[in-house]
Each structure stands twice: as C-alpha cells, then as structure tokens.
Amino acid sequence: ALLFITVYTADGFYEFVEDHCVFNSTKLDDIEYIRSYYYNKLEFTRFSSSVGKYVGYTEFGVRNAEYWNNLPGELSRMRNEKERYCLNNVGNDHEAAL
C-alpha cells in the first residue's frame, strides 16, 4: 500500500492526513483510495473511493463530512484521486514486489 502523511503540530497536539491505496492488482477496479484525517491519533473523517463520499467518526468529523460532501466538485475531485494518485504508483509497487 502507498502511504503519504502530512503532520501539523501546535502545543503538543497532532493533526495529520493520511492518503493510501489498497490494492490486489493493478486494475483500477481493484484499487481503493482512502484519505483519513486524524487528530491526536483518533481518526475523525475519512474519504473512501469504495464509499464515494466522506464519512465522519466523531461529532467534529460528521460536521466536516457533511460540509465536504456538499461542496460543489469536491466528491468528483476525490473520486478522481484513485486514478491520479494510486494507479501509476500501484503499478510501480506491484512490479517491485514481483
């Protein structure tokens, strides 16, 4: 799986975003793109290409998910991330593993 993490800190608190791809083959249909938002190691919001929208896991995360799901073009942009972010990189990782 591919992994990209961005970390923001202030006064000892951590907020980070993790993008990763889950795959069984290099076919686009077999790839899942996931972007997770964390605060102090607790995931509060996630976008999954399998679900096709943001899902919140905390009160704050639910509010974020509702907002992002209703932004014009946001879901379309995130759905395209599977092809843009994952497809070529998964091919490279798959070849390296073989």
Side-chain angles (χ1 to χ4, degrees), residues 16-92:
F16 62 96
V17 179
E18 176 187 84
D19 293 306
H20 65 278
C21 306
V22 179
F23 59 95
N24 291 324
S25 75
T26 58
K27 295 178 185 173
L28 192 59
D29 291 343
D30 293 333
I31 299 171
E32 179 183 19
Y33 169 75
I34 299 171
R35 173 173 278 181
S36 298
Y37 296 82
Y38 293 88
Y39 182 75
N40 282 350
K41 301 180 184 179
L42 176 66
E43 184 177 22
F44 61 89
T45 309
R46 173 187 289 188
F47 174 86
S48 169
S49 62
S50 296
V51 177
K53 65 178 186 173
Y54 288 94
V55 176
Y57 298 108
T58 65
E59 182 180 340
F60 178 67
V62 169
R63 286 195 317 264
N64 280 328
E66 288 174 359
Y67 175 74
W68 290 333
N69 286 334
N70 290 308
L71 279 178
E74 177 64 14
L75 292 180
S76 175
R77 183 181 71 83
M78 290 305 293
R79 290 178 185 132
N80 290 332
E81 286 296 290
K82 179 169 87 168
E83 185 172 355
R84 188 198 69 78
Y85 181 77
C86 295
L87 191 59
N88 292 328
N89 293 319
V90 164
N92 294 338

Side-chain angles (χ1 to χ4, degrees), residues 4-23:
F4 177 75
I5 298 176
T6 304
V7 177
Y8 303 98
T9 65
D11 299 327
F13 296 98
Y14 291 96
E15 177 183 6
F16 62 96
V17 179
E18 176 187 84
D19 293 306
H20 65 278
C21 306
V22 179
F23 59 95

